[in-house]
Amino acid sequence: MTTTLLRRPAVALAAGVLLLPVSACGGSAEADGSSTVTVTVGYQSKTINTVTAGTLLRSLGHFEKQLKALDDGTTYKVEWQDFATGAPITAQMTAGKIDIGSMGDFPLLINAARGKQLNRPTHLVSVTGYNLKGGLNTVVVAPGSKLTSLKDLKGAKVSTSVGSAADGTLVRALRQAGLDPARDIEKLNQQPAVGASALAAGSADALSQFVAWPGLLAHQGKAKALYDGAQLDLPTFHGVTARADFAERRPAVLEAYLRAQAEATDYLDAHPVDAAEKVAEATGLPAEVVYLYNGAHGIATFDPSVKPQLVSALEEDVAILKAAKLTGDIDVDSFVDDRYVKKALGAGYAERLRAAPPAAASEVWPEGASRTVEFASPDELLVHLARHRDGIRAAYVPDATTGTPWFADKAVWVADGERSLPFVAPETARAYVAGHEGARLISYADALGRAS
């Protein structure tokens, strides 16, 4: 936990007025007559699709700057608390110890349910990273696994974090594959790091997790993709939740936070490589993995606006949580409150609301470069890689079916005439081959060879 102290001059007070201490999570009266407000922010540093509300925002110091700009005679203390998942953030919020938190869509719903249950209501006030197709969640298996489709998981042990968006993806994907999530697999309820270890040890046959675990394990050569969450074609996202009592008592502070989040978002969009490096430095994650998700054409799009299609997806998620007996009915409409972000961003909010994700693109990150090189097609990227086999930090290609970016050397490749097409998972690659006469699976080395 880190505390940042921000002091502003006290406003003049009429003689004889008793000054009482005012605080968000706690505070005390200062000797000079000013008041102290502690704002506690819960975030998940390694859940890198929340960086504009946590890791990157903290690194840039935008929230502290916005609080200084309030110039309201208050001394602000910002406490940043880092967690592995959304559940402890919710626990701390409902205990009145965290004011603002960020987490994924399923944890957000649990946040809403717990807040109502404990008479500590919370509200979704903005969005961080999202993917309109669901590509933020992936099912992976060990590199040497013979499993090649979701149907192969029947009777298998699958690690996931129950109540997470990754668990929701697993449940939906298994149902689409004709499997019963409750009976046809043995679900292991584990934290991401524990699940990764279980996969490596062979005590789990597959791992369904959220960003950045699938990309990290693939990058490290410890896993390969079995299922791309974008095959569901259902939005998934991360967002910011605030305690209702805090928002009502400190609207200017919440709006300052949301303006700072928007500034961090703009910084990430303008400087994606530098932002990836900053997040990597703060989290210990490889910058190449951060960029896979948060890059200029990454799996996630960052935008604080609360888009209607994301709210609709949230409403569909309630049924999954109810079936798992994790929540009862949830009034999504009353949970979503975009008043503060609309006010914070003013006229610019409507433009952000209309904005669409950037078009898919193939990218190469050269060693020592502060910018990536974009290519119009995977074939053009392969030609470049074939000519520059050294000095390449990372290469990314979009899945030919879903558009989900993946590492070029970890993708499943298909030759279709003169074209080489990448896929995240083998099942989608095989489906393409089955529907295109003459198409065939090839190795990455073969794809490079064809390009050269």
Side-chain angles (χ1 to χ4, degrees), residues 36-238:
T36 297
V37 171
T38 299
V39 185
T40 306
V41 180
Y43 72 110
Q44 303 169 67
S45 64
K46 286 187 168 58
T47 304
I48 55 174
N49 290 146
T50 63
V51 295
T52 54
T55 308
L56 182 62
L57 175 59
R58 177 180 177 181
S59 175
L60 295 171
H62 287 332
F63 185 29
E64 289 82 356
K65 293 174 185 175
Q66 284 288 343
L67 289 174
K68 283 184 179 180
L70 293 180
D71 197 15
D72 58 1
T74 300
T75 298
Y76 289 101
K77 293 179 180 179
V78 180
E79 290 189 356
W80 298 90
Q81 297 185 4
D82 188 6
F83 298 88
T85 63
I89 296 177
T90 290
Q92 293 291 85
M93 290 185 78
T94 54
K97 296 179 179 180
I98 286 180
D99 302 307
I100 303 169
S102 54
M103 57 193 71
D105 40 15
F106 278 74
L108 281 167
L109 287 171
I110 295 175
N111 181 274
R114 297 290 183 269
K116 182 177 181 180
Q117 179 185 17
L118 299 172
N119 200 28
R120 287 273 192 171
T122 59
H123 291 297
L124 173 67
V125 295
S126 71
V127 171
T128 58
Y130 70 90
N131 183 285
L132 292 179
K133 288 181 172 292
L136 297 177
N137 307 306
T138 312
V139 181
V140 298
V141 293
S145 174
K146 295 182 180 179
L147 303 176
T148 60
S149 72
L150 284 175
K151 290 185 177 180
D152 294 339
L153 290 179
K154 187 169 184 176
K157 295 180 180 179
V158 183
S159 174
T160 191
S161 301
V162 173
S164 72
D167 182 32
T169 291
L170 177 65
V171 169
R172 286 191 169 107
L174 288 173
R175 287 175 178 170
Q176 280 195 0
L179 298 181
D180 184 338
R183 298 181 180 180
D184 289 334
I185 66 166
E186 181 181 345
K187 186 183 291 187
L188 308 177
N189 183 17
Q190 298 173 324
Q191 294 294 318
V194 176
S197 297
L199 186 68
S203 56
D205 300 300
L207 172 73
S208 180
Q209 273 303 346
F210 48 80
V211 51
W213 288 94
L216 173 64
L217 295 175
H219 178 69
Q220 293 173 332
K222 297 178 180 179
K224 62 182 179 181
L226 179 74
Y227 182 83
D228 172 9
Q231 291 174 242
L232 289 173
D233 198 19
L234 182 68
T236 185
F237 71 99
H238 296 73

Side-chain angles (χ1 to χ4, degrees), residues 276-322:
E277 296 279 22
K278 286 183 182 297
V279 172
E281 182 179 357
T283 62
L285 290 168
E288 299 88 342
V289 174
V290 178
Y291 193 86
L292 170 70
Y293 292 97
N294 296 7
H297 299 274
I299 299 176
T301 299
F302 286 84
D303 183 353
S305 66
V306 185
K307 297 182 183 298
Q309 56 266 54
L310 301 182
V311 176
S312 296
L314 204 61
E315 292 171 342
E316 292 192 38
D317 293 341
V318 174
I320 301 293
L321 290 173
K322 285 181 64 178

Side-chain angles (χ1 to χ4, degrees), residues 4 10-11 30 32 38 42 51 80 101 110 112 128 199 210 229 240 251 269 282 287 318 368 390 406 441:
T4 306
V11 292
E30 296 290 322
D32 62 3
T38 299
V51 295
W80 298 90
I110 295 175
T128 58
L199 186 68
F210 48 80
V240 175
D269 290 341
V318 174
D390 298 320
W406 204 241
L441 294 171

Side-chain angles (χ1 to χ4, degrees), residues 431-447:
Y432 182 91
V433 168
H436 295 78
E437 185 176 355
R440 68 187 192 282
L441 294 171
I442 59 173
S443 67
Y444 175 60
D446 289 338

Side-chain angles (χ1 to χ4, degrees), residues 201-439:
S203 56
D205 300 300
L207 172 73
S208 180
Q209 273 303 346
F210 48 80
V211 51
W213 288 94
L216 173 64
L217 295 175
H219 178 69
Q220 293 173 332
K222 297 178 180 179
K224 62 182 179 181
L226 179 74
Y227 182 83
D228 172 9
Q231 291 174 242
L232 289 173
D233 198 19
L234 182 68
T236 185
F237 71 99
H238 296 73
V240 175
T241 177
R243 289 201 341 262
D245 61 337
F246 169 77
E248 292 167 5
R249 189 169 66 246
R250 299 288 176 190
V253 173
L254 180 56
E255 289 159 19
Y257 175 90
L258 295 170
R259 284 192 297 272
Q261 183 198 342
E263 290 177 343
T265 302
D266 293 342
Y267 182 90
L268 184 148
D269 290 341
H271 310 281
V273 169
D274 183 63
E277 296 279 22
K278 286 183 182 297
V279 172
E281 182 179 357
T283 62
L285 290 168
E288 299 88 342
V289 174
V290 178
Y291 193 86
L292 170 70
Y293 292 97
N294 296 7
H297 299 274
I299 299 176
T301 299
F302 286 84
D303 183 353
S305 66
V306 185
K307 297 182 183 298
Q309 56 266 54
L310 301 182
V311 176
S312 296
L314 204 61
E315 292 171 342
E316 292 192 38
D317 293 341
V318 174
I320 301 293
L321 290 173
K322 285 181 64 178
K325 296 182 170 38
L326 293 173
T327 69
D329 289 322
I330 299 172
D331 186 349
V332 172
D333 287 339
S334 66
F335 175 55
V336 176
D337 188 349
D338 59 2
R339 291 176 300 162
Y340 300 98
V341 69
K342 283 180 177 178
K343 185 175 179 181
L345 303 186
Y349 184 80
E351 183 178 352
R352 290 181 184 270
L353 195 63
R354 291 192 300 268
S362 299
E363 295 181 82
V364 166
W365 186 352
E367 287 281 2
S370 59
R371 300 186 66 176
T372 61
V373 181
E374 295 183 13
F375 298 89
S377 70
D379 285 306
E380 291 184 17
L381 176 140
L382 289 170
V383 169
H384 179 86
L385 293 178
R387 293 174 179 173
H388 305 83
R389 301 223 176 208
D390 298 320
I392 301 298
R393 187 166 179 179
Y396 310 91
V397 287
D399 184 289
T401 300
T402 66
T404 303
W406 204 241
F407 295 109
D409 61 334
K410 308 300 182 185
V412 180
W413 287 88
V414 168
D416 185 7
E418 296 183 355
R419 297 188 303 164
S420 294
L421 303 174
F423 297 84
V424 172
E427 194 169 7
T428 46
R430 290 197 307 271
Y432 182 91
V433 168
H436 295 78
E437 185 176 355

